[in-house]
Amino acid sequence: QMCIRDSSLETSRIDGKTFVYLAALQKGFQPNTLVYNNRQVFQLPGKDWSPKNYAGDTSGPITLRYALEQSKNIPTARWLDHL
């Protein structure tokens, strides 16, 4: 029995990070613009929030391109705060 897969029926996953980086590019930031990938506490109404990367890693500055390619949460939160 043959299974035929129609890739046109599959959807790609686009998360909110994509829109944050698109907004940064539209504001004139370049793919090689640096952003820090280290912990930061954001003050939200009623509580503090400190995003974490999925792998739990942190580092110094990384490029916007690398942060998007690796789906890093901390730099994304920094960009969102900056925009």
Side-chain angles (χ1 to χ4, degrees):
Q1 186 175 12
M2 186 161 64
C3 177
I4 299 173
R5 191 169 107 182
D6 185 354
S7 61
S8 66
L9 297 176
E10 296 176 14
T11 60
S12 7
R13 181 174 171 256
I14 298 178
D15 62 17
K17 291 177 191 156
T18 305
F19 295 106
V20 172
Y21 288 99
L22 178 59
L25 292 171
Q26 288 178 333
K27 292 256 186 193
F29 293 99
Q30 300 298 311
N32 64 345
T33 301
L34 295 176
V35 63
Y36 283 97
N37 182 38
N38 55 353
R39 295 266 165 86
Q40 179 175 343
V41 177
F42 295 92
Q43 313 256 310
L44 302 177
K47 68 175 184 173
D48 292 342
W49 175 60
S50 183
K52 295 174 182 61
N53 293 324
Y54 179 76
D57 63 318
T58 59
S59 64
I62 59 176
T63 63
L64 184 151
R65 178 190 315 262
Y66 184 78
L68 178 59
E69 288 172 351
Q70 299 299 311
S71 192
K72 299 293 184 187
N73 295 323
I74 296 170
T76 304
R78 286 180 177 275
W79 277 112
L80 187 59
D81 188 53
H82 185 74
L83 298 172

